């Protein structure tokens, strides 16, 4: 059941995630070198200590991500089935993002090596560089992705149309939809507390993606039917909420749909009219609350998912603090920092 | 002799008046220049923070310089430089900058602001598009510019685009104001030499 690994995650989660006091110190830094100095006292220290000045925010994010990757690899190599499959599922989202990055960059005639440098390390696979030779989705699948874990997700989006910005976006969201549904099905087969907690966490993810797809597609060429096809077939909003979201033409209509669902009333209540930019942060706050609750039960795999996601949120926090310090905008630092635990 | 003295006094008076006018124009232009620099700094700061906020939401890999489109393509926004011919031989020619946003030509009525000191009615016009069609055209070009980051981008990125557009307009205004300052300075120096 992975008792050793669960103990490691619970020990690490409680002791090494940054606290509110750490964030308060970081928010008062005057420069990125100050941030590096404060982080040297944390577990990120060894990853940043050899970085020369002047630091850049992307360097801080890269090195913190490397720490997450090392922890993940340690867990994966110690895990047995079915935990190892569960841990691999967690990385498929990054794999999809990497595939889209390579394909988009190639479409824009960028060098594949600089694209590979920008890929998320958790989503790397052996033949990723070969993606650059494909010109349509059929080739993408046939030449490269057929041998990857993403292969089953391609059945819904294989066409011979040449890749363009809209097709790529539809491919990204279709793949992610198939991935979430597959992950949800896998968690249900595990049963017990894993199925119960992961069902809630993945449903929240599916609902959040539905809202983001709706808001981001307002005023674009994406038709209502195409928008509806990108929503996952599970979650609190499925199916009636999706029908209503598909026809929304502005953010206030989205608010009207979401406020009918009690768990999302509180999210939209935090966002006043005209402040839709704060919606992302409100969703992150709710996500962190749910992820922390996953640690309240024992002997399930959702703690691993929650730990990885909380680390990613921590890296987002560090990225935002670094950007505010680098741009001398410290008054805005609390706009997007979400405290954990 | 009295007539010569009176003519001399009148001439000096004109020179002083001209000098005062040039100084006033110079100071006005400088004041405008300083305000514009403040506006530019503010809009750029806002734009950069909004861009960081969009990157925070979408992820570092989705908003990155590696996604810039390297394929040859025409620029959606251009700057036109015209040099006005001086009517007075003592005045230097004054360069004039105008921003043509999102492919709009200077002789068409466009919903975008032409920052060249001329109102749309003063610009020479040959064709006037319907306002709605022009708006749609501009909206499509704006979306196309962001499409390198994906076809479905969050509102934060669009807001950042708006801030940088405002900054671009401010830069053109600053360039024109600077041109006016240099022209006023030149005029002042000419008046000084004459007197």
């Amino acid at each position: 059941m992975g008792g050793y690994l669960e103990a490691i995650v619970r020990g690490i989660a409680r002791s090494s995630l940054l606290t509110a006091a750490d964030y308060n110190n970081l928010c008062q830094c005057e420069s990125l070198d100050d941030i590096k100095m404060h982080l040297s006292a944390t577990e990120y220290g060894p990853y940043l200590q050899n970085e020369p000045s002047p630091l850049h925010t992307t360097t801080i994010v890269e090195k913190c991500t490397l720490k997450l990757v090392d922890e993940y690899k340690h867990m994966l190599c110690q895990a047995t089935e079915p935990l190892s499959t569960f841990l691999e599922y967690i990385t498929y989202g990054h794999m999809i993002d990497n595939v889209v990055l390579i394909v988009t960059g190639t479409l824009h005639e960028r060098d594949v090596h600089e694209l590979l440098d920008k890929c998320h390390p958790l989503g790397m696979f052996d033949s990723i560089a070969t993606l650059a030779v494909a010109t349509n989705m059929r080739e993408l699948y046939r030449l490269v992705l057929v041998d990857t874990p993403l292969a089953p997700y391609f059945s819904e989006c294989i066409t011979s149309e040449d890749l363009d910005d809209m097709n790529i976006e539809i491919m990204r969201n279709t793949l992610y939809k198939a991935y979430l549904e597959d992950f949800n099905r896998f968690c249900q087969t595990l049963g017990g507390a894993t199925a119960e907690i992961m069902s809630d966490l993945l449903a929240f993810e599916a609902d959040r993606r539905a809202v983001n797809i709706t808001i981001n597609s307002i005023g674009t060429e994406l038709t209502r039917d195409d928008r509806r096809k990108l929503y996952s077939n599970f979650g609190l909003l499925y199916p009636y909420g999706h029908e209503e979201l598909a026809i929304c033409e502005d953010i206030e209509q989205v608010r009207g749909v979401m406020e009918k669902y009690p768990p999302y009333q509180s999210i939209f209540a935090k966002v006043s009219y005209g402040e839709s930019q704060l919606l992302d942060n409100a969703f992150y706050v709710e996500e962190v609350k749910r992820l922390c609750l996953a640690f309240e039960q024992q002997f399930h795999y959702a703690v691993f998912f929650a730990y990885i996601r909380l680390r990613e949120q921590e890296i987002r926090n560090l990225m935002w603090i670094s950007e505010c310090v680098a741009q001398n905008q410290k008054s805005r630092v609390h706009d997007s920092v979400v405290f954990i635990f | 002799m009295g007539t010569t003295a009176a003519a001399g006094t009148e001439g000096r008076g004109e020179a002083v008046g001209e000098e005062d006018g040039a100084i006033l124009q110079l100071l006005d232009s400088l004041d405008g220049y300083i305000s514009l620099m403040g506006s530019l700094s503010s809009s750029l700061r806002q734009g950069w923070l909004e861009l960081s906020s969009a990157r925070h939401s979408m992820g570092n890999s989705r908003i990155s310089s590696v996604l810039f489109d390297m394929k040859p393509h025409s620029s959606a926004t251009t700057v036109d430089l015209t040099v006005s011919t001086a009517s007075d031989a003592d005045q230097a020619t004054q360069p004039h900058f105008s921003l043509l946003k999102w492919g709009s030509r200077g002789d068409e009525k466009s919903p975008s602001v032409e920052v060249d000191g001329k109102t749309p009615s003063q610009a020479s016009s040959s064709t006037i598009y319907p306002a709605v069609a022009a708006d749609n055209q501009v909206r499509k070009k704006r979306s196309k510019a962001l499409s390198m980051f994906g076809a479905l981008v969050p509102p934060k990125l669009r807001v950042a685009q708006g801030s940088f557009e405002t900054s671009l307009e401010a830069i053109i205004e600053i360039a024109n104001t600077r041109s006016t300052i240099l022209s006023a300075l030149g005029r002042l120096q000419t008046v000084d030499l004459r007197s």
Side-chain angles (χ1 to χ4, degrees), chain A residues 57-58 61 97 101 104-105 107-110 114-115 118 165-166 169 172-173 213 215-220 222 230 251 276-277 280-281 284 313 316-317 319-320 323-324 327-329 332 336, chain B residues 42 44-72 139-140 143-144 147-156 158-159:
Chain A
T57 52
T58 50
V61 172
D97 286 339
L101 174 66
T104 306
L107 187 71
H108 296 162
E109 295 184 6
R110 303 302 303 234
E114 60 178 347
L115 294 170
K118 277 290 177 186
D165 291 320
M166 185 53 88
E169 193 68 40
R172 181 209 305 274
N173 286 289
I213 287 168
I215 290 174
N216 295 349
S217 61
I218 291 170
T220 67
L222 194 71
L230 299 181
I251 289 174
S276 56
Q277 295 179 59
D280 278 334
N281 199 51
Y284 283 135
Q313 178 62 48
R316 269 197 297 274
N317 287 345
M319 176 250 165
W320 180 249
E323 286 285 353
C324 288
Q327 294 181 33
N328 200 19
Q329 297 253 32
R332 302 287 301 271
S336 295
Chain B
S42 169
L44 279 175
R45 269 168 66 84
Q46 193 176 335
W48 282 118
L49 192 70
E50 283 155 1
L51 186 64
S52 301
S53 181
R55 195 187 290 129
H56 175 265
S57 302
M58 292 170 76
N60 284 344
S61 64
R62 289 202 58 191
I63 299 190
S64 166
S65 55
V66 297
L67 291 172
F68 290 167
D69 195 345
M70 300 297 273
K71 286 188 293 199
R139 203 179 303 123
K140 276 185 190 162
S143 291
K144 191 167 181 293
S147 64
M148 70 177 99
F149 301 120
L152 303 180
V153 294
K156 287 179 186 179
R158 297 184 203 279
V159 169

Side-chain angles (χ1 to χ4, degrees), chain B residues 91-102:
Chain B
Q91 284 186 356
T93 55
Q94 185 174 336
H96 207 84
F97 301 91
S98 50
L99 186 68
L100 304 170
K101 287 198 321 186
W102 306 116

Side-chain angles (χ1 to χ4, degrees), chain B residues 2-195:
Chain B
T3 310
T4 311
T9 307
E10 200 179 305
R12 274 198 300 278
E14 274 177 15
V16 167
E18 211 177 325
E19 192 178 1
D20 285 349
I23 290 171
L24 276 174
Q25 188 189 17
L26 178 66
L27 291 175
D28 276 343
S29 302
L30 279 171
D31 183 56
Y33 182 82
I34 290 167
S35 320
L36 284 169
M37 288 297 281
S39 300
L40 175 65
S41 171
S42 169
S43 59
L44 279 175
R45 269 168 66 84
Q46 193 176 335
W48 282 118
L49 192 70
E50 283 155 1
L51 186 64
S52 301
S53 181
R55 195 187 290 129
H56 175 265
S57 302
M58 292 170 76
N60 284 344
S61 64
R62 289 202 58 191
I63 299 190
S64 166
S65 55
V66 297
L67 291 172
F68 290 167
D69 195 345
M70 300 297 273
K71 286 188 293 199
H73 56 277
S74 57
S75 178
T77 295
T78 54
V79 175
D80 249 8
L81 170 63
T82 51
V83 180
S84 56
T85 48
S87 53
D88 188 336
D90 289 338
Q91 284 186 356
T93 55
Q94 185 174 336
H96 207 84
F97 301 91
S98 50
L99 186 68
L100 304 170
K101 287 198 321 186
W102 306 116
S104 62
R105 295 199 316 241
D107 57 352
E108 289 164 4
K109 189 175 176 183
S110 160
S112 54
V113 174
E114 282 211 4
V115 193
D116 58 356
K118 292 183 186 175
T119 62
S121 61
Q122 289 174 341
S124 63
S125 60
S126 56
T127 312
I128 296 179
Y129 286 124
V132 171
D135 273 344
N136 284 340
Q137 189 80 351
V138 167
R139 203 179 303 123
K140 276 185 190 162
K141 290 194 180 202
R142 272 209 182 95
S143 291
K144 191 167 181 293
L146 288 181
S147 64
M148 70 177 99
F149 301 120
L152 303 180
V153 294
K156 287 179 186 179
L157 195 60
R158 297 184 203 279
V159 169
Q161 184 184 41
S163 295
F164 287 124
E165 265 187 59
T166 307
S167 303
L168 198 54
E169 288 166 11
I171 287 169
I172 298 301
E173 273 197 72
I174 286 170
N176 285 327
T177 306
R178 193 176 154 81
S179 169
T180 309
I181 288 170
L182 291 172
S183 168
L185 195 60
R187 207 175 122 213
L188 191 59
Q189 284 167 344
T190 308
V191 166
D192 271 347
L193 281 170
R194 240 191 278 146
S195 60

Side-chain angles (χ1 to χ4, degrees), chain A residues 13 45 50 53 60 93 114 137 143 182 199 253 268 273 278 326 340:
Chain A
N50 294 328
S53 296
I60 293 176
E114 60 178 347
M137 282 178 236
L143 294 175
D182 188 36
S199 170
Q253 289 180 13
F268 279 81
Y273 288 94
L278 301 178
I340 300 169

